Amino acid sequence: MSTRVFGFITIGLLLGLAQFITTFAITTWYVSHANRKVDPLADEIRSDFAAGAHTDGQTQDERGAQR
Amino acid sequence: MSALSGLTAAVEFTSVGNPVLNISIFGGFVAVTLIVVLRASRNNKTAADYYAAGRSFTGPQNGTAIAGDYLSAASFLGICGAIAINGADGFLYSIGFLVAWLVALLFVAELMRNTGKFTMADVLSFRLKQRPVRLAAAATTLAVCFFYLLAQMAGAGGLVSLLLGIDEKIGQSIVVAVVGVLMIIYVLIGGMKGTTWVQIIKAGLLIAGAFIMTIWVLTLHGFNFSALLGAAAERGGDALLNPGLQYGLSGISRLDFISLALALVFGTAGLPHVLMRFYTVPTAREARRSVVWAIWLIGVFYLFTLVLGYGAAALIGKEKILAAPGGVNSAAPLLAFELRGPVLLGLISAVAFATILAVVAGLTITAATSFAHDVYASVIKKGKAAPNTEVKVVRITVVVIGVFAIVGGIRVQGQNVAFLVALAFAVAASANLPTILYSLYWKRFTTRGAPWSIYGGLGSAIFLIAFSPVVSGGPTSMVQGVDFHWFDLSNPGIVSIPLGFILGWLGTITSKTLENPAIAAEMEVRSLTGYGAEEASDH
């Protein structure tokens, strides 16, 4: 961890900075995946429901009031 | 020799830093934010307006506000100081605080936004019995907010002695009271919308201030980070560059570090004031964009603090920082003074105060909302409270919490309560995150599992902290003179987080009553697609 890679930069510091890079990379990857793959599916299901394809005519709030 | 130079440094610092300038810059911030809060308050009519800003913020706006809410004075002054004193080990905090956001992004933010309305309890009680679950969720929300609030108020008191040269107890108490009263005014008048704008403005100032200082530090070292590290090592010794200065001393300190890291990484996505911010945007997609903005802003900010911390180590030196009033926390202000004299010091001081103010405002509105919405409206009035009375109750609660914070902040002055922030994260990780994940992802989860997990995680974290070296038996303990500690770690997370998860599972598999599968199915659809989710109000 304390080994110098170049100049005064140690392996430990590079590993720490690598965690910043992986965090940014995972964020970017997840968002592009969600925008491309997940959102269209969710939109489709939601519009199906809105069109009345699967409703049982009662929302959670109404049921909650009855409980 | 070093003690002498440290002493002169302290004297020089308090006499050269200009309190009048510091106060007028901070006064300017207060004036601008008050105008913004007053303008924002004109549309506060319904509960959704007051609690969730009408769900009208965009992802980038909310992401900036999240950064403003999350980057407390502890992460600015504290991390700069930790890096200046402990080198690479100080940087470990930044890594933990940043990486934690992946949990929020990948598992929590969007589903929370779709399922809930105003509070964390909305999600937990969606398909479980309302009263016991809401009561438990309100208990941990109030506990986390209270610990965090007390730490911030104590920090405000400590900051004045550092920045304004006020060492007397009475002066510090007045400053704590001023911060508390301003916080009450912001939250009372502005609600969530006003609080959000205060956080956005503060995040802008904080990140801009850190950026300017970073550029100056790098300019002095030819924009060569390795040269900056070399200068820091020359002044403070090679150990500053090598990991392990703070946490590598013994097996216990290594274990303590893992425990802290667990609390940071699992706690962030369970912090109630962070969770509540997800309700201020119109859709789950905007909630996702908020977290992305927050991750970039917070990540870049922590890279700045890495430069600033090593810059303080190189330009000021460890002894001078530790000898200054405020100790570790003085690294960033001292660096500002070293770089550009009293004006930059005044700016950075004002930003530090603005930081505390914005964070306490966010905590107060979260705690008050949880009490009014979960305890008053759902438990006391059993869901039959008129909407107007709920907003009235939230305003009264804001004042009560504000007064509590002022009194508490004055009482804990001079005591070492820095552990309260770590405790808040530990409770959020042990009590909040397990129940959130279980109720979102485990259909079998039952009404018995939620309170078991919440009270178990909350109780064990507080219990272990009470018998740890931060409370008694250590050189910097809160209570001096007696030693009743038997738990050697300063961070309870490594025990309390697994306990919270196990208790939630145990409570569920041992309960005979099953929850309604139809509501579970509805919750799944709603959380994943946003069908039936709360919509933005139109104005």
Side-chain angles (χ1 to χ4, degrees):
Chain A
M1 285 286 181
S2 308
T3 315
R4 302 273 168 87
V5 181
F6 57 89
F8 290 93
I9 311 280
T10 62
I11 291 181
L13 185 68
L14 285 183
L15 286 175
L17 291 173
Q19 287 199 281
F20 276 63
I21 293 165
T22 50
T23 302
F24 292 143
I26 292 170
T27 303
T28 311
W29 167 80
Y30 168 73
V31 169
S32 87
H33 170 79
N35 287 340
R36 279 184 302 115
K37 299 277 170 66
V38 183
D39 280 354
L41 280 175
D43 291 343
E44 196 183 312
I45 297 170
R46 194 171 55 238
S47 55
D48 276 2
F49 272 98
H54 312 274
T55 42
D56 61 352
Q58 219 179 21
T59 67
Q60 193 265 345
D61 285 343
E62 286 159 353
R63 264 199 300 273
Q66 288 161 10
R67 265 191 290 172
Chain B
M1 173 59 208
S2 72
L4 189 67
S5 68
L7 192 66
T8 45
V11 172
E12 195 186 326
F13 178 64
T14 38
S15 59
V16 177
N18 186 339
V20 179
L21 186 70
N22 297 353
I23 294 173
S24 24
I25 297 175
F26 178 62
F29 169 82
V30 171
V32 170
T33 45
L34 271 183
I35 293 168
V36 172
V37 165
L38 280 173
R39 291 179 58 94
S41 69
R42 282 184 301 196
N43 279 329
N44 272 342
K45 294 190 194 83
T46 64
D49 292 331
Y50 192 85
Y51 294 146
R55 315 191 194 282
S56 58
F57 281 103
T58 66
Q61 285 173 333
N62 189 39
T64 313
I66 290 175
D69 209 355
Y70 190 65
L71 298 171
S72 60
S75 48
F76 176 45
L77 304 178
I79 290 180
C80 281
I83 294 173
I85 306 294
N86 290 320
D89 280 20
F91 187 46
L92 294 173
Y93 287 98
S94 311
I95 298 171
F97 280 131
L98 174 70
V99 170
W101 278 96
L102 286 178
V103 180
L105 174 69
L106 300 177
F107 301 112
V108 178
E110 298 167 39
L111 279 65
M112 282 289 290
R113 170 60 190 84
N114 276 338
T115 316
K117 203 169 174 185
F118 302 128
T119 62
M120 181 181 90
D122 289 338
V123 175
L124 305 186
S125 65
F126 192 95
R127 61 192 172 90
L128 308 178
K129 275 206 192 65
Q130 297 279 330
R131 298 182 70 188
V133 174
R134 279 197 190 268
L135 209 56
T140 83
T141 300
L142 290 173
V144 171
C145 289
F146 182 70
F147 294 144
Y148 219 115
L149 200 54
L150 209 55
Q152 297 293 322
M153 291 306 250
L159 209 56
V160 273
S161 68
L162 161 67
L163 302 173
L164 304 183
I166 302 173
D167 284 331
E168 303 86 39
K169 192 158 181 169
I170 182 79
Q172 296 192 6
S173 305
I174 290 170
V175 173
V176 170
V178 168
V179 168
V181 169
L182 281 173
M183 163 189 95
I184 294 173
I185 294 172
Y186 282 147
V187 178
L188 215 49
I189 300 174
M192 192 48 141
K193 200 173 277 179
T195 307
T196 306
W197 279 112
V198 172
Q199 289 166 344
I200 291 174
I201 295 170
K202 168 238 149 162
L205 286 175
L206 180 64
I207 295 170
F211 173 72
I212 293 168
M213 284 174 67
T214 303
I215 295 297
W216 264 322
V217 168
L218 286 176
T219 311
L220 290 176
H221 298 89
F223 282 92
N224 181 343
F225 187 60
S226 174
L228 170 64
L229 292 181
E234 197 179 319
R235 185 148 197 165
D238 267 5
L240 266 186
L241 309 184
N242 303 338
L245 195 54
Q246 183 183 6
Y247 289 111
L249 303 173
S250 66
I252 291 283
S253 71
R254 285 186 186 138
L255 200 62
D256 201 25
F257 170 68
I258 294 173
S259 189
L260 171 69
L262 283 174
L264 297 185
V265 171
F266 290 111
T268 299
L271 288 175
H273 61 294
V274 165
L275 295 172
M276 199 175 158
R277 292 230 51 90
F278 297 140
Y279 298 127
T280 65
V281 291
T283 60
R285 200 168 302 182
E286 291 300 310
R288 183 194 307 149
R289 280 178 83 203
S290 326
V291 186
V292 173
W293 271 75
I295 286 178
W296 279 100
L297 290 172
I298 292 166
V300 167
F301 177 80
Y302 283 140
L303 292 177
F304 293 160
T305 58
L306 179 66
V307 174
L308 296 182
Y310 276 118
L315 297 167
I316 322 262
K318 190 173 174 175
E319 290 78 21
K320 206 165 156 183
I321 293 169
L322 287 176
V328 179
N329 284 336
S330 67
L334 279 175
L335 181 66
F337 185 73
E338 177 82 21
L339 290 171
R340 277 299 180 278
V343 176
L344 189 59
L345 173 66
L347 272 174
I348 294 304
S349 319
V351 168
F353 268 107
T355 291
I356 291 188
L357 200 50
V359 174
V360 292
L363 289 166
T364 304
I365 195 165
T366 306
T369 301
S370 176
F371 180 80
H373 183 64
D374 298 329
V375 179
Y376 174 78
S378 299
V379 176
I380 297 177
K381 291 284 175 182
K382 297 178 183 153
K384 294 190 180 71
N388 290 339
T389 58
E390 202 179 310
V391 177
K392 216 171 278 171
V393 170
V394 83
R395 291 200 149 108
I396 297 169
T397 319
V398 166
V399 177
V400 172
I401 293 171
V403 171
F404 258 108
I406 294 171
V407 174
I410 290 172
R411 284 189 62 114
V412 296
Q413 261 178 66
Q415 294 182 44
N416 187 0
V417 290
F419 71 90
L420 283 174
V421 171
L423 177 61
F425 272 87
V427 170
S430 329
N432 298 2
L433 193 71
T435 36
I436 291 171
L437 291 183
Y438 281 147
S439 52
L440 287 175
Y441 294 99
W442 189 25
K443 282 189 199 163
R444 172 82 171 76
F445 192 50
T446 66
T447 301
R448 192 201 272 187
W452 277 33
S453 165
I454 290 177
Y455 292 127
L458 173 71
S460 62
I462 295 177
F463 179 75
L464 290 175
I465 270 278
F467 294 101
S468 78
V470 296
V471 170
S472 74
T476 56
S477 297
M478 191 179 85
V479 184
Q480 290 292 338
V482 274
D483 181 1
F484 49 86
H485 95 280
W486 48 260
F487 184 70
D488 278 331
L489 304 180
S490 309
N491 296 285
I494 202 166
V495 178
S496 64
I497 297 169
L499 196 68
F501 276 101
I502 291 168
L503 283 174
W505 170 78
L506 204 65
T508 298
I509 59 153
T510 55
S511 73
K512 290 188 183 78
T513 49
L514 292 178
E515 306 300 330
N516 185 343
I519 307 183
E522 185 184 328
M523 182 175 173
E524 187 176 23
V525 173
R526 175 164 164 172
S527 66
L528 292 172
T529 68
Y531 177 70
E534 298 290 323
E535 312 246 344
S537 58
D538 42 292
H539 51 63

